[in-house]
Amino acid sequence: MLYHVAMDVRLPRDLPADERADILARERAYSQDLQRGGKWRHIWRVAGQYANVSIFDVADNAELHDILSGLPLFPFMEITVTPLLRHPSAIREDDS
C-alpha cells in the first residue's frame, strides 16, 4: 500500500549540539536503510522548511505506524498521512 507522508520537524532550539548531531545521524541511517529496502520509496525536501514529503510502500497502516514511530526524530515531528490508491486514468503500470 502506498502512503503520502508529510513530516514537519520541530527540534527544540535549546537541544544540545551533540544530542542534535546524534539524532540526525541515526535518522539518516534509519531512513536510508528503509529506502534501500524499498519501504521508503521517495523523499523530497520542502523548500524553505525543515520538512519533507515522502512516499512509503508498506503492507498496511500498522507497518507504516511502526516505521514512523521508529524514526529518531519522531518525538519532534508533526506528521500527516494520506493513503494513496491508483488512479483509474494512470498510464504507468509500475506505480502501484
Side-chain angles (χ1 to χ4, degrees):
M1 222 176 142
L2 296 178
Y3 293 87
H4 170 277
V5 180
M7 297 179 233
D8 293 311
V9 181
R10 304 241 185 334
L11 283 173
R13 293 179 192 261
D14 60 348
L15 188 67
D18 58 335
E19 235 180 284
R20 178 186 172 96
D22 176 63
I23 290 170
L24 294 177
R26 289 186 293 118
E27 181 81 10
R28 170 173 258 168
Y30 183 77
S31 69
Q32 289 180 345
D33 232 19
L34 289 164
Q35 289 173 66
R36 283 185 202 96
K39 298 292 182 178
W40 198 324
R41 261 179 139 181
H42 302 280
I43 182 170
W44 294 276
R45 174 173 272 166
V46 178
Q49 299 177 35
Y50 194 178
N52 75 72
V53 173
S54 296
I55 303 295
F56 285 83
D57 188 357
V58 295
D60 53 29
N61 294 338
E63 183 179 13
L64 181 64
H65 178 79
D66 289 344
I67 287 171
L68 295 177
S69 61
L71 289 165
L73 284 173
F74 181 76
F76 309 107
M77 289 181 163
E78 182 177 314
I79 299 174
T80 305
V81 175
T82 305
L84 300 173
L85 296 170
R86 183 168 174 74
H87 195 282
S89 296
I91 63 169
R92 294 185 184 199
E93 295 300 322
D94 63 342
D95 282 344
S96 55

